[in-house]
Short mmCIF file of all heavy atoms in Angstrom, two decimals:
data_model
loop_
_atom_site.label_atom_id
_atom_site.label_comp_id
_atom_site.label_asym_id
_atom_site.label_seq_id
_atom_site.Cartn_x
_atom_site.Cartn_y
_atom_site.Cartn_z
N GLN T 14 -75.84 20.69 145.32
CA GLN T 14 -76.56 21.82 144.76
C GLN T 14 -76.87 22.81 145.92
O GLN T 14 -76.79 22.52 147.07
CB GLN T 14 -77.89 21.38 144.18
CG GLN T 14 -77.77 20.30 143.08
CD GLN T 14 -77.37 20.91 141.75
OE1 GLN T 14 -77.60 22.06 141.56
NE2 GLN T 14 -76.83 20.10 140.89
N GLY T 15 -77.23 24.03 145.49
CA GLY T 15 -77.83 25.00 146.40
C GLY T 15 -76.85 25.70 147.32
O GLY T 15 -77.20 26.23 148.35
N LEU T 16 -75.52 25.78 146.88
CA LEU T 16 -74.60 26.56 147.70
C LEU T 16 -74.38 27.93 147.11
O LEU T 16 -73.33 28.54 147.13
CB LEU T 16 -73.25 25.83 147.70
CG LEU T 16 -73.28 24.45 148.36
CD1 LEU T 16 -71.91 23.78 148.25
CD2 LEU T 16 -73.68 24.57 149.84
N ASN T 17 -75.45 28.55 146.57
CA ASN T 17 -75.40 29.81 145.86
C ASN T 17 -75.01 30.90 146.83
O ASN T 17 -75.68 31.16 147.83
CB ASN T 17 -76.71 30.13 145.21
CG ASN T 17 -76.60 31.19 144.14
OD1 ASN T 17 -75.49 31.54 143.76
ND2 ASN T 17 -77.72 31.63 143.65
N GLN T 18 -73.91 31.62 146.55
CA GLN T 18 -73.45 32.76 147.38
C GLN T 18 -73.29 33.95 146.41
O GLN T 18 -72.24 34.12 145.78
CB GLN T 18 -72.11 32.42 148.05
CG GLN T 18 -72.17 31.24 148.95
CD GLN T 18 -72.87 31.53 150.28
OE1 GLN T 18 -73.05 32.69 150.60
NE2 GLN T 18 -73.27 30.52 150.97
N PRO T 19 -74.28 34.86 146.32
CA PRO T 19 -74.25 35.89 145.32
C PRO T 19 -73.14 36.90 145.52
O PRO T 19 -72.65 37.52 144.59
CB PRO T 19 -75.62 36.51 145.40
CG PRO T 19 -76.15 36.19 146.76
CD PRO T 19 -75.54 34.88 147.08
N ASP T 20 -72.73 37.24 146.76
CA ASP T 20 -71.72 38.22 147.01
C ASP T 20 -70.35 37.52 147.06
O ASP T 20 -69.94 36.96 148.04
CB ASP T 20 -72.01 38.95 148.36
CG ASP T 20 -71.04 40.11 148.55
OD1 ASP T 20 -70.13 40.25 147.76
OD2 ASP T 20 -71.22 40.90 149.50
N LEU T 21 -69.61 37.58 145.93
CA LEU T 21 -68.41 36.78 145.80
C LEU T 21 -67.22 37.41 146.51
O LEU T 21 -66.38 36.70 147.01
CB LEU T 21 -68.05 36.64 144.33
CG LEU T 21 -69.11 35.99 143.42
CD1 LEU T 21 -68.51 35.71 142.06
CD2 LEU T 21 -69.64 34.73 144.02
N ILE T 22 -67.16 38.70 146.56
CA ILE T 22 -65.92 39.36 146.99
C ILE T 22 -65.86 39.53 148.48
O ILE T 22 -64.82 39.66 149.07
CB ILE T 22 -65.77 40.73 146.28
CG1 ILE T 22 -65.87 40.49 144.77
CG2 ILE T 22 -64.49 41.40 146.64
CD1 ILE T 22 -65.87 41.79 143.95
N GLN T 23 -67.01 39.45 149.14
CA GLN T 23 -67.06 39.77 150.58
C GLN T 23 -66.40 38.67 151.37
O GLN T 23 -66.78 37.50 151.31
CB GLN T 23 -68.52 39.96 150.99
CG GLN T 23 -68.65 40.33 152.47
CD GLN T 23 -70.12 40.50 152.82
OE1 GLN T 23 -70.96 40.03 152.12
NE2 GLN T 23 -70.36 41.19 153.94
N GLN T 24 -65.44 38.99 152.16
CA GLN T 24 -64.78 38.08 153.18
C GLN T 24 -64.37 36.74 152.59
O GLN T 24 -64.89 35.71 152.97
CB GLN T 24 -65.78 37.88 154.34
CG GLN T 24 -66.08 39.15 155.09
CD GLN T 24 -67.03 38.94 156.24
OE1 GLN T 24 -67.56 37.83 156.39
NE2 GLN T 24 -67.25 39.93 157.04
N VAL T 25 -63.40 36.81 151.67
CA VAL T 25 -62.82 35.55 151.21
C VAL T 25 -62.04 34.93 152.34
O VAL T 25 -61.20 35.59 152.99
CB VAL T 25 -61.84 35.85 150.02
CG1 VAL T 25 -61.16 34.56 149.57
CG2 VAL T 25 -62.63 36.45 148.88
N SER T 26 -62.29 33.67 152.67
CA SER T 26 -61.73 33.08 153.88
C SER T 26 -60.25 32.70 153.70
O SER T 26 -59.82 32.44 152.55
CB SER T 26 -62.54 31.84 154.29
OG SER T 26 -62.53 30.89 153.24
N ASP T 27 -59.54 32.68 154.76
CA ASP T 27 -58.11 32.25 154.80
C ASP T 27 -58.04 30.71 154.79
O ASP T 27 -58.69 30.10 155.65
CB ASP T 27 -57.45 32.83 156.01
CG ASP T 27 -55.92 32.56 156.02
OD1 ASP T 27 -55.46 31.93 155.05
OD2 ASP T 27 -55.28 33.03 156.97
N SER T 28 -57.28 30.15 153.86
CA SER T 28 -57.23 28.67 153.78
C SER T 28 -56.03 28.10 154.49
O SER T 28 -55.73 26.93 154.30
CB SER T 28 -57.23 28.29 152.31
OG SER T 28 -56.04 28.80 151.68
N SER T 29 -55.39 28.92 155.31
CA SER T 29 -54.19 28.34 156.01
C SER T 29 -54.39 28.53 157.54
O SER T 29 -55.04 29.46 157.99
CB SER T 29 -52.93 29.12 155.60
OG SER T 29 -52.69 28.90 154.24
N ASP T 30 -53.81 27.63 158.30
CA ASP T 30 -53.86 27.72 159.72
C ASP T 30 -52.70 28.59 160.27
O ASP T 30 -51.87 29.04 159.44
CB ASP T 30 -53.84 26.33 160.36
CG ASP T 30 -52.49 25.63 160.18
OD1 ASP T 30 -51.52 26.30 159.73
OD2 ASP T 30 -52.43 24.43 160.49
N PRO T 31 -52.66 28.92 161.53
CA PRO T 31 -51.60 29.82 162.03
C PRO T 31 -50.18 29.34 161.77
O PRO T 31 -49.25 30.10 161.71
CB PRO T 31 -51.87 29.92 163.52
CG PRO T 31 -53.35 29.63 163.64
CD PRO T 31 -53.62 28.63 162.60
N GLN T 32 -49.97 28.06 161.62
CA GLN T 32 -48.64 27.54 161.34
C GLN T 32 -48.31 27.50 159.84
O GLN T 32 -47.25 27.07 159.42
CB GLN T 32 -48.53 26.09 161.86
CG GLN T 32 -48.33 25.98 163.38
CD GLN T 32 -49.54 26.42 164.14
OE1 GLN T 32 -50.63 26.00 163.82
NE2 GLN T 32 -49.34 27.28 165.17
N GLY T 33 -49.25 28.00 159.04
CA GLY T 33 -49.02 28.09 157.65
C GLY T 33 -49.29 26.83 156.84
O GLY T 33 -49.00 26.73 155.67
#
Side-chain angles (χ1 to χ4, degrees):
Q14 303 280 340
L16 297 177
N17 197 12
Q18 301 284 344
D20 188 353
L21 302 189
I22 304 175
Q23 183 180 18
Q24 296 180 352
V25 176
S26 61
D27 186 0
S28 61
S29 297
D30 69 9
Q32 282 69 46

